[in-house]
Amino acid sequence: MHRRITGQLVIATHNPGKLAEMRELLAPYGIEAVSAGELGLDEPEETGTSFRANAQIKALAAAKAAQLPAFADDSGLVVDALDGAPGIYSARWAGPNKDFTGAMTRIERLLQERGATTPEQRRAHFVSALCVAWPDDHIEEVEARADGTLVWPPRGTAGFGYDPSFMPDGHTRTFGEMTSIEKHGLPPLGLGLSHRARAFVKLAEICLEPR
Ligand code: IMP
């Protein structure tokens, strides 16, 4: 049996970019979202070997600490020609200073070293694993992806992380050149474009009720 989210929900992230996106996604459902940062919760170590495992670790740690249902996301960029890197290490590739220009430059250097110059050789996808955990260990989890190609140089200043280098399939602009409404492509305007929006649509089906 799926369990519905009601009332207060802890958003288990310390990343302001993600927190803003999560709040935007949850707003239509009347969920009162409070962040792990605001509650002063510690960030657990992400020791999992998959996006799904890391989302679970974060959601369960926050649910136990806050004694409230908690929602966590683990996400990243998977580059085919780099055997899936940076993958679950996407945040780490930017280093402690969150230097995503540096991380995108590193990816580009590796792609050039492998002779990956055509769009087909530069395939990549974002993955979003979402997990809602309750203090009694019940969990609900979903995963989704957004497919596209990597462009160089990066384009646009919107969004965060690797957005300026990622052009989703069927579009001529990168996520960095899109408004957040376009990037997510949520209903009723769209059917989910970003990995996070797609995962969220799946989660909403099983755990949320529109107001
Ligand atoms: P984590 O999920 O906190 O481990 O971090 C995932 C990392 O993947 C983020 O810091 C970003 O670098 C990258 N990432 C995840 N989702 C997106 C996105 O929608 N746009 C750009 N970068 C993303």
Side-chain angles (χ1 to χ4, degrees), residues 107-191:
I107 290 174
E108 182 59 22
R109 187 170 32 82
L110 293 170
L111 285 175
Q112 292 297 334
E113 279 170 19
R114 285 161 176 74
T117 51
T118 67
E120 300 77 55
Q121 293 167 325
R122 299 168 63 87
R123 300 289 302 159
H125 59 273
F126 278 117
V127 174
S128 167
L130 301 181
C131 179
V132 184
W134 278 260
D136 68 355
D137 286 329
H138 181 85
I139 60 166
E140 298 284 352
E141 51 188 1
V142 293
E143 192 170 307
R145 59 190 267 176
D147 290 274
T149 50
L150 294 178
V151 301
W152 193 260
R155 299 184 337 220
T157 53
F160 67 98
Y162 299 91
D163 277 345
S165 65
F166 184 82
M167 192 161 70
D169 288 346
H171 292 260
T172 52
R173 285 173 306 142
T174 67
F175 273 169
E177 294 173 299
M178 295 183 179
T179 62
S180 76
I181 290 175
E182 287 174 290
K183 174 181 169 184
H184 297 312
L186 282 172
L189 296 171
L191 291 172

Side-chain angles (χ1 to χ4, degrees), residues 22 51-52 55 71-76 125-130 142-146 194-200 202:
M22 297 296 189
F51 294 109
R52 183 175 284 249
F71 175 43
D73 135 291
D74 197 63
S75 55
H125 59 273
F126 278 117
V127 174
S128 167
L130 301 181
V142 293
E143 192 170 307
R145 59 190 267 176
S194 75
H195 47 308
R196 202 164 294 108
R198 286 180 179 170
F200 195 83
K202 289 190 191 181

